Amino acid sequence: MADKKTATPAAANAGKASTSNPTAAATSPSPTTAASSSSASTSTTASTSTSTSNASSKESPLESTWTFWFDKKLSREAAVAAAQQQQQQQQQQQQQQQGFEKYMQNIQKVGTFNTLQGFWKHYAYMQPPDSVPREHNIYLFRDTVLPAWESFPEGGAWIIKVRKHNGVINRLWEELCFASIGEWFADPDVVGIHLATRTKDDNLAVWNKGPDMNVSIGEKLKEILNLDESTQVEYKPFKAAMADNSSFRNAKAFTYAPAL
């Protein structure tokens, strides 16, 4: 479970939408606001237009393009269907393909951005993790690569399980988002992060593309989130995830070396 030794300053909060969609966007400005703006003097309008143009040109670029995605967890029955009926390799491969097709139909792209301002345009109107309905997933991944095990068959995920109502999940997710787009991991092997709301815990995961677990990512994760020595961090290869159809079940615990 995740605990924090010290609290780190959270970024400035923007308005949050309160719909059941964890990535719902804000509504458009009211007609009253638009009418009020149009009544300004010509000189003021010109000045505002110039200011807006300058602000747009000063957006802070990111090293990579990133994309937000979300989906609702498929039931295990729908995901594995008839996997227990046949154990032969060919039938297992066919079942995995069927599960992947269902996953493709379920996941939705929220938006893609390549500037800090673009990130805020999406993030500011998402529900915080402690308000996202259980059994939902939010992903933040490089470029437009689909956040699926099949996209990184040689990779895996570093996992932290956070107790429900622990009061830290919002901060941890926000810090992970900033660490990702700010390249704090300093490793191109990191391809994305994943928030999964479940019944007992909220899970955070950092995905790497492989071909191995890359211990340095786990060490950096501890540093970025300022994790206590007792915090349990796990790792699960995607080959194992595809075999048992779970991102988190049967993950192996990773033990940090004690500080000298």
Side-chain angles (χ1 to χ4, degrees):
M1 303 301 178
D3 292 298
K4 299 279 287 186
K5 288 191 292 186
T6 58
T8 55
N13 291 326
K16 304 293 191 300
S18 58
T19 66
S20 59
N21 184 336
T23 59
T27 57
S28 301
S30 67
T32 304
T33 303
S36 176
S37 298
S38 65
S39 65
S41 66
T42 303
S43 61
T44 303
T45 302
S47 174
T48 302
S49 177
T50 302
S51 175
T52 302
S53 176
N54 290 338
S56 178
S57 66
K58 293 180 180 178
E59 287 198 348
S60 304
L62 303 175
E63 290 188 25
S64 298
T65 297
W66 294 83
T67 300
F68 273 116
W69 306 76
F70 87 96
D71 66 17
K72 183 176 181 180
K73 179 186 175 185
L74 293 171
S75 67
R76 190 176 181 190
E77 291 76 12
V80 300
Q84 296 180 347
Q85 296 178 7
Q86 300 292 341
Q87 298 299 318
Q88 297 178 2
Q89 182 65 24
Q90 182 178 3
Q91 291 168 328
Q92 288 178 341
Q93 293 176 345
Q94 181 181 9
Q95 183 56 44
Q96 288 178 355
Q97 180 61 31
Q98 292 174 348
F100 180 65
E101 291 174 355
K102 290 180 179 179
Y103 177 79
M104 288 283 291
Q105 296 169 2
N106 187 49
I107 194 167
Q108 298 183 47
K109 181 189 292 187
V110 178
T112 299
F113 57 90
N114 59 9
T115 66
L116 180 60
Q117 290 77 6
F119 163 79
W120 277 113
K121 288 177 182 177
H122 294 92
Y123 184 82
Y125 298 111
M126 291 182 177
Q127 292 186 20
D130 61 6
S131 297
V132 174
R134 68 181 185 179
E135 309 301 333
H136 280 73
N137 303 290
I138 298 178
Y139 310 88
L140 176 60
F141 270 66
R142 289 189 193 277
D143 301 315
T144 55
V145 178
L146 187 72
W149 308 322
E150 292 81 358
S151 298
F152 312 101
E154 301 299 320
W158 291 89
I159 301 164
I160 301 174
K161 295 181 178 179
V162 183
R163 294 188 299 269
K164 285 286 191 183
H165 314 299
N166 197 20
V168 299
I169 186 63
N170 292 354
R171 183 171 67 249
L172 293 179
W173 173 244
E174 185 169 273
E175 289 174 352
L176 263 189
C177 286
F178 280 115
S180 299
I181 66 173
E183 305 293 349
W184 296 354
F185 286 98
D187 193 330
D189 192 31
V190 173
V191 292
I193 57 175
H194 174 193
L195 165 70
T197 60
R198 298 296 184 260
T199 302
K200 295 182 179 179
D201 303 308
D202 292 320
N203 300 321
L204 296 173
V206 178
W207 289 33
N208 73 291
K209 61 184 176 182
D212 51 42
M213 67 187 296
N214 196 341
V215 173
S216 65
I217 295 176
E219 296 287 352
K220 195 68 175 179
L221 177 62
K222 174 186 175 184
E223 176 187 333
I224 289 172
L225 297 183
N226 193 25
L227 299 176
D228 187 87
E229 296 289 348
S230 64
T231 300
Q232 181 170 308
V233 177
E234 301 174 333
Y235 185 83
K236 184 168 184 179
F238 293 140
K239 287 183 178 179
M242 287 186 279
D244 64 15
N245 198 55
S246 173
S247 293
F248 308 109
R249 189 172 59 251
N250 301 321
K252 303 300 182 183
F254 177 79
T255 303
Y256 290 105
L260 298 178

